[in-house]
Amino acid sequence: MRMLSTRGIAPAASISDAIAAGLAPDGGLYMPASLPSFTPADFDGADTLAQVAQRLLRPFFAGDALEGELAAICATAFAVEPPLRVFGEANDYILELFHGATAAFKDYGASFLAAALAALPRGDRPLTILVATSGDTGAAVGAAFHHKPGVRVAILYPDGRVSPRQAHQLGCFGDNVRAFRVDGSFDDCQKLVKTLLSDAAFKQDVPLGSANSISLGRLLPQMAYYAHAALGHWRAGGNPLNFVVPTGNLGNALACFLARSMGLPIGRLVLANNANDVLARFFEGGDYAPQASRTTLANAMDVGAPSNFERLQWLEPDAARLRAELSAESVSDDEIRATIVDAFQRHGEIVCPHTACAVRVLQRLRARGAVGDWAVVATAHPAKFPEVVEPLIGREVPLPAALAAMLARPSHAQPLAGDARALGDLLRVP
Ligand SMILES: *Cc1c(COP(=O)(O)O)cnc(C)c1O
């Protein structure tokens, strides 16, 4: 299938070219030219996450250089099955996407992208993967590419705006994975990446790829866990599953939206924002008005200008129709704290600050009379945010083994002014 740019100027690309490029040459984001449509019966016999992923993604890879590799890529990227389990009340569920290498949902998309890029033919110069991160992306991408031959990774994160544990993770890889702590916000990091990725002359010197959620190689595979969870739920009881998704740059929630558009048994989709409420304002009827990002307890969602909104608008340019299909609500830091305490005291559940936003939004929806089966999406393990969670619940959060191993390694990040020239010069050095 052909991939098109949201800006409509760049020529159509194959999916492997779109994955290798990250951003389209006209500065737009790649999207599939059409969305295939499925019924649940199309997935008969596909039970594991990897099997569901392969069937779901097959139409996008038809005729592509990676078509023959898709099964193997899915087997690598989707080896970890995310549990969907009851959360507190009957009909409330939690989909735990944090059982991968770095304990956040981004491990799925990052491993898919790394496996896809590793399967593509490479030139003799190494590919440099640029990744801006508000916390979790960088670690997931670092882990997915660490020691992969022919690829190096430059992680850019906002200095002082990620948790100490996240900062440690970002700097602990070494070898082909370098971390830069940028004097600025996440949006500044993202701007640096976009500037270099759209600089054709620079890319002649230094072949670049992207691993942000702007890369189709991360976005499309994220549909798989929604499809798998919704199909499992549908098979068990014949009901669609509604989702509340913690949302920052809108990559994870957009994947859910796409899966639903392709016919998977997904009901309502509600986005949970932190105090960065640009989407909540839009879906409540305001203009789409990007803002400077605000620092919150759910720092991986501190995004004032969510990149993937451009894709959503490309899919549905009519604001009224978009508002009929999706909604978004904003959650304050005080509510995040109260929700973490409440989930622990009432249900013995420990949730991370991002997941807490979704839990709070579901509580509001239920209070307003929402019926049916709803799943909140747990985007990270609470042990990644001990400085927020532990004082609230009054105990230590046990570390998953993979996270403990990473934190035991030494960590280093290089300081960087928010300046594309300076970064370009550093990257020219092999
Ligand atoms: C990245 C991240 C989010 C936001 O996901 P988007 O795809 O950017 O909307 C939410 N929670 C956690 C823990 C994250 O790491």
Side-chain angles (χ1 to χ4, degrees):
M1 186 189 290
R2 312 298 287 163
M3 304 294 135
L4 308 178
S5 165
T6 50
R7 307 259 165 107
I9 299 164
S14 68
I15 191 159
S16 49
D17 287 344
I19 288 175
L23 200 66
D26 59 2
L29 308 178
Y30 282 115
M31 281 295 279
S34 63
L35 293 177
S37 90
F38 290 98
T39 66
D42 293 327
F43 293 89
D44 285 352
D47 295 319
T48 65
L49 175 61
Q51 289 164 342
V52 168
Q54 196 199 339
R55 274 197 210 177
L56 187 70
L57 296 172
R58 200 157 52 190
F60 302 107
F61 286 85
D64 186 77
L66 287 174
E67 186 173 19
E69 312 291 330
L70 183 62
I73 295 171
C74 288
T76 305
F78 295 111
V80 178
E81 302 261 326
L84 175 72
R85 56 180 190 80
V86 171
F87 181 85
E89 323 283 337
N91 305 330
D92 286 358
Y93 297 84
I94 188 163
L95 178 62
E96 291 182 351
L97 299 179
F98 55 63
H99 295 283
T102 70
F105 81 88
K106 294 184 175 92
D107 286 324
Y108 285 110
S111 336
F112 187 95
L113 177 65
L117 286 174
L120 281 173
R122 272 191 307 269
D124 42 5
R125 280 180 306 171
L127 181 68
T128 300
I129 302 287
L130 286 181
V131 56
T133 183
S134 56
D136 290 328
T137 298
V141 170
F145 284 96
H146 197 204
H147 295 316
K148 283 249 188 321
V151 185
R152 56 180 196 160
V153 177
I155 300 172
L156 279 63
Y157 70 89
D159 199 6
R161 300 199 201 187
V162 305
S163 80
R165 220 168 242 185
Q166 284 177 319
H168 190 103
Q169 267 194 309
L170 294 171
C172 81
F173 297 103
D175 307 303
N176 64 330
V177 181
R178 282 203 284 175
F180 297 94
R181 47 189 176 88
V182 174
D183 184 13
S185 66
F186 167 69
D187 294 326
D188 296 326
C189 296
Q190 192 154 253
K191 231 177 283 165
L192 280 176
V193 168
K194 281 191 177 177
T195 304
L196 286 187
L197 282 175
S198 49
D199 183 340
F202 181 76
K203 287 202 292 190
Q204 289 293 318
D205 293 349
V206 183
L208 290 183
S210 153
N212 277 92
S213 60
I214 54 178
S215 170
L216 263 193
R218 281 184 50 194
L219 177 68
L220 294 181
Q222 288 176 172
M223 295 188 295
Y225 40 75
Y226 293 107
H228 179 253
L231 283 168
H233 191 73
W234 177 263
R235 286 168 183 159
N239 295 313
L241 193 56
N242 306 287
F243 285 99
V244 185
V245 184
T247 297
N249 213 20
L250 198 48
N252 198 12
L254 181 62
C256 185
F257 181 83
L258 292 173
R260 185 179 66 179
S261 306
M262 286 161 55
L264 274 298
I266 295 169
R268 284 176 65 192
L269 167 59
V270 180
L271 319 181
N273 288 143
N274 58 23
N276 291 276
D277 59 356
V278 51
L279 293 172
R281 282 163 185 264
F282 170 80
F283 282 104
E284 280 155 17
D287 287 336
Y288 176 71
Q291 314 161 343
S293 57
R294 298 178 198 153
T295 304
T296 76
L297 295 174
N299 64 13
M301 292 155 46
D302 291 350
V303 180
S307 300
N308 284 299
F309 191 72
E310 183 167 332
R311 285 187 161 119
L312 206 51
Q313 277 192 312
W314 183 83
L315 282 166
E316 182 49 82
D318 185 89
R321 264 188 270 163
L322 200 49
R323 289 185 187 115
E325 293 191 47
L326 277 174
S327 59
E329 301 198 16
S330 161
V331 173
S332 70
D333 273 0
D334 283 345
E335 290 173 298
I336 290 175
R337 286 192 200 91
T339 305
I340 292 172
V341 171
D342 177 73
F344 184 64
Q345 289 182 346
R346 282 205 301 153
H347 308 306
E349 298 277 3
I350 307 177
V351 293
C352 89
H354 312 80
T355 307
C357 293
V359 172
R360 172 50 62 114
V361 168
L362 180 54
Q363 285 170 353
R364 288 186 198 155
L365 291 165
R366 289 294 194 199
R368 297 201 297 257
V371 293
D373 298 338
W374 286 78
V376 296
V377 173
T379 47
H381 192 286
K384 295 191 86 167
F385 309 94
E387 55 290 307
V388 178
V389 176
E390 290 179 354
L392 292 170
I393 63 168
R395 50 166 280 189
E396 249 179 65
V397 184
L399 269 179
L403 212 51
M406 286 190 149
L407 294 173
R409 298 215 290 262
S411 176
H412 173 74
Q414 194 168 333
L416 183 74
D419 164 7
R421 282 268 295 280
L423 178 61
D425 289 343
L426 286 167
L427 296 179
R428 275 204 176 82
V429 181

